[in-house]
Amino acid sequence: MGTCKLIITVELARGLIPRDGHDSPSAYVELCFDGQRIRTTIKEEDRNPAWNESFWFDMSPDPSNIHDLVLQASVYNTNEPIQGRGNYFLGMVTRNVASFHRFYEPTHRRQAALYPLERRRGMPMVGVRGELLLNGYILDESPIRAPIPSSAPVSLCVEVINATNLKPVDYPVVVTKTSSNDFIDLTLRTWRNALQRSLGYGSLETYYEQIKRCIQIGPMCVNPNLSKRLPIMKVIRMLQGSESISCDSSNE
C-alpha cells in the first residue's frame, strides 16, 4: 500500500525582532504536523536567517479529515529564554494541508510563499514581527487505483470552441458486456477518486457534474445506428448545459 508524505522546506525568515527590540535573535523553526514534531538548526544572531532545510512528515494517502489537518511552524529565539518556559516565542505560521499541491513524484517546482508571523491565541501582539518563507507540497506514492476495465469503451471529452461543416464519423462498434449505466457508474467512481486525491480543485461537485455530462453524452455520439446519432449542435448545447440530456437519446 502506498503512502503520502508532506514535504516542507523552511527557506528563510525576514525581520525577526527579539522581545527587547535590540540585538539579533538566534532563531530556529519547529514544525508540527499530526503529532509529529521536527526542528531546524539554530541560526546564531541573525534577524534574517536562511535555513533552506527540508523535512517530511508521514500522512495517509486519502485522509478523511484532510481539511482539518494543519501544519504549524513556530519560530523561537534561544537568546531570550523565559524563566521556566524555555525559549522565547517569536511567532508562528499555520497552514491547512489541503492548500498544498499534490505531486506523484518528487518535484523541484517552487511552491514557496512568504507568510507573516502570527501570535498564539490569547497572546498580545507585542514582540511578534517578521515573515517566514515556506515551500511545501504533498508527495503521493500511492499506486494508481480503480483503472477502467479493458472491455469498457473509453470516451474522450473535449471543449468545443467553434464547429463548422462537421460530419458524422463511422466509429467501429464496441461490444461489451458492461451496461451503459454500470459503465457510467464505474467511470464516475474512478473520476471521483482521482478528484478527491487532487488538491488543486476548488469544487469537487462542479467537476464531477461536468464529467458526468460528458460520460452520458459520449455514447450518444457513437451510436451504431447512424440515424440515432446526435447532431453536433445538439451535442454542443448539451455539453454547455443549455439543453438537457434526454433519456430517449441514450444509447443502451
Side-chain angles (χ1 to χ4, degrees), residues 7-14 52-54 71 93 95 99-101 103 107-116 131-138:
I7 312 295
I8 298 295
T9 300
V10 180
E11 299 204 2
L12 54 85
R14 297 195 313 196
N52 195 28
E53 298 177 15
S54 296
L71 170 76
V93 171
R95 296 289 295 164
S99 65
F100 291 108
H101 292 287
F103 296 94
T107 179
H108 296 289
R109 290 177 53 184
R110 289 185 59 81
Q111 308 291 320
L114 191 62
Y115 304 102
E131 299 170 306
L132 184 64
L133 184 64
L134 298 176
N135 187 4
Y137 69 95
I138 295 174

Side-chain angles (χ1 to χ4, degrees), residues 79-100:
N79 278 352
E80 292 184 293
I82 301 176
Q83 292 184 356
R85 296 188 180 181
N87 297 321
Y88 179 63
F89 175 77
L90 293 180
M92 64 185 296
V93 171
T94 302
R95 296 289 295 164
N96 191 293
V97 174
S99 65
F100 291 108

Side-chain angles (χ1 to χ4, degrees), residues 53-182:
E53 298 177 15
S54 296
F55 309 92
W56 57 266
F57 299 91
D58 287 320
M59 62 179 293
S60 171
D62 282 313
S64 58
N65 60 336
I66 182 68
H67 292 282
D68 298 325
L69 293 176
V70 296
L71 170 76
Q72 180 177 297
S74 301
V75 185
Y76 293 93
N77 177 17
T78 62
N79 278 352
E80 292 184 293
I82 301 176
Q83 292 184 356
R85 296 188 180 181
N87 297 321
Y88 179 63
F89 175 77
L90 293 180
M92 64 185 296
V93 171
T94 302
R95 296 289 295 164
N96 191 293
V97 174
S99 65
F100 291 108
H101 292 287
R102 184 178 298 229
F103 296 94
Y104 293 89
E105 60 183 16
T107 179
H108 296 289
R109 290 177 53 184
R110 289 185 59 81
Q111 308 291 320
L114 191 62
Y115 304 102
L117 293 178
E118 302 175 349
R119 64 185 176 90
R120 288 196 184 105
R121 183 175 300 178
M123 172 184 173
M125 286 299 296
V126 178
V128 177
R129 302 178 186 174
E131 299 170 306
L132 184 64
L133 184 64
L134 298 176
N135 187 4
Y137 69 95
I138 295 174
L139 175 62
D140 193 336
E141 299 175 324
S142 304
I144 299 176
R145 293 174 294 172
I148 298 177
S150 58
S151 61
V154 179
S155 300
L156 174 65
C157 299
V158 298
E159 180 181 1
V160 180
I161 305 300
N162 189 18
T164 57
N165 299 325
L166 297 180
K167 297 180 180 180
V169 178
D170 291 330
Y171 292 95
V173 177
V174 179
V175 178
T176 175
K177 296 181 180 180
T178 305
S179 70
S180 297
N181 289 335
D182 290 342

Side-chain angles (χ1 to χ4, degrees), residues 209-252:
E209 289 302 322
Q210 292 174 352
I211 293 168
K212 180 178 179 180
R213 187 181 301 123
C214 288
I215 296 173
Q216 291 174 328
I217 296 173
M220 305 179 196
C221 301
V222 293
N223 195 312
N225 189 335
L226 297 181
S227 63
K228 293 185 178 181
R229 291 186 183 178
L230 300 177
I232 186 62
M233 296 310 299
K234 184 179 181 68
V235 172
I236 294 174
R237 290 193 299 270
M238 293 169 71
L239 286 171
Q240 293 174 338
S242 59
E243 182 170 332
S244 62
I245 302 175
S246 56
C247 297
D248 57 353
S249 299
S250 62
N251 175 26
E252 292 292 341

